[in-house]
Amino acid sequence: MKPEMPSQALPRPTEIAHQLLAGVVRPGARAVDATAGNGHDTVFLAGLVGESGRVLALDIQPEAVAATRARCDSAGLGGRVRMVHGGHEDWDSHLAAEGWEPGCVAAAVFNLGYLPGAGKSRITKPATTLVALERALAWLATDGLITVVCYPGHPGGAEEGEAVRGWAAGLAPKDYQSMSYGYLNQPSAPPFLVAVRGRRPGGAVPGS
Ligand SMILES: C[S@@+](CC[C@H](N)C(=O)[O-])C[C@H]1O[C@@H](n2cnc3c(N)ncnc32)[C@H](O)[C@@H]1O
């Protein structure tokens, strides 16, 4: 049977990220939203992990923490989500505080840039993003998934996107697959997705 396209338009990078996550995050899993923002990704992950799973959602802005909490509560999913007001660069301490252990994270979601509707003063930065991505690898399950949506359109965003792409390109192919997906023929600086998937010991890519 041929897979169906959802519409005539190609899916956006955020939609591809969700499609990949839906294939990896199972009921009972643990997942991290490293940039909670307005909570759309957190709610999506909370739906995937089911009642027995847990999502840890981080953001440095109190209004993002509040917005995400409200969105999860109104979706009836607040009980599956632990909100943390803090930076993803302090990943180790936030996850350890929850009693989580390295290797337990099925998926980590990064949606870079600024909080929509709150100005561009507090954006993700390459230095802290790269620290968080490195730490995410250490906590990822062997066949886990990291998705990073990069936004080159705001000041500093292009450099951050290149830094993420370079980081992913440098991962050892025996341990990880990394790929990128984005528009090629749009004006301005369209967003793109970088996805990283762990390989099981022995080199097999899950599902292949
Ligand atoms: C594009 S928004 C995220 C959108 C969100 N995923 C959603 O579904 O609504 C980026 C968020 O990253 C947050 N952020 C910036 N630096 C951060 C850091 N070091 N650690 C955690 N979050 C950070 C910003 O405060 C902002 O809310």
Side-chain angles (χ1 to χ4, degrees):
M1 195 169 70
K2 280 190 188 166
E4 277 185 29
M5 292 283 285
S7 73
Q8 282 188 316
L10 288 166
R12 291 174 300 190
T14 47
E15 292 171 329
I16 293 286
H18 282 197
Q19 288 175 19
L20 295 175
L21 290 162
V24 168
V25 179
R26 305 270 172 243
R30 290 176 183 182
V32 177
D33 186 349
T35 52
N38 286 317
H40 300 282
D41 293 320
T42 305
V43 164
F44 183 72
L45 288 173
L48 294 178
V49 301
E51 277 183 28
S52 59
R54 288 293 174 269
V55 179
L56 194 67
L58 313 165
D59 206 291
I60 53 170
Q61 298 196 65
E63 52 269 53
V65 172
T68 299
R69 184 173 285 132
R71 191 175 296 278
C72 292
D73 286 346
S74 66
L77 299 172
R80 307 174 185 183
V81 178
R82 172 86 170 99
M83 292 302 310
V84 174
H85 177 210
H88 44 221
E89 60 277 18
D90 298 322
W91 179 290
D92 288 2
S93 57
H94 296 317
L95 272 69
E98 295 304 308
W100 292 18
E101 292 178 357
C104 79
V105 174
V109 174
F110 291 75
N111 196 329
L112 302 179
Y114 55 89
L115 180 63
K120 300 180 186 173
S121 58
R122 305 205 69 187
I123 59 172
T124 54
K125 303 266 175 59
T128 42
T129 299
L130 291 185
V131 167
L133 287 170
E134 269 303 312
R135 298 319 303 156
L137 288 183
W139 287 75
L140 201 65
T142 48
D143 58 354
L145 172 71
I146 300 175
T147 62
V148 191
V149 178
C150 304
Y151 297 87
H154 62 271
E159 293 78 4
E160 184 177 42
E162 281 316 300
V164 170
R165 222 198 282 264
W167 169 81
L171 295 173
K174 73 177 174 47
D175 298 324
Y176 301 99
Q177 273 190 318
S178 64
M179 297 185 78
S180 181
Y181 172 91
Y183 303 97
L184 293 174
N185 66 343
Q186 289 209 345
S188 71
F192 62 89
L193 168 70
V194 171
V196 172
R197 180 113 200 239
R199 290 178 185 272
R200 289 202 178 102
V205 177
S208 67

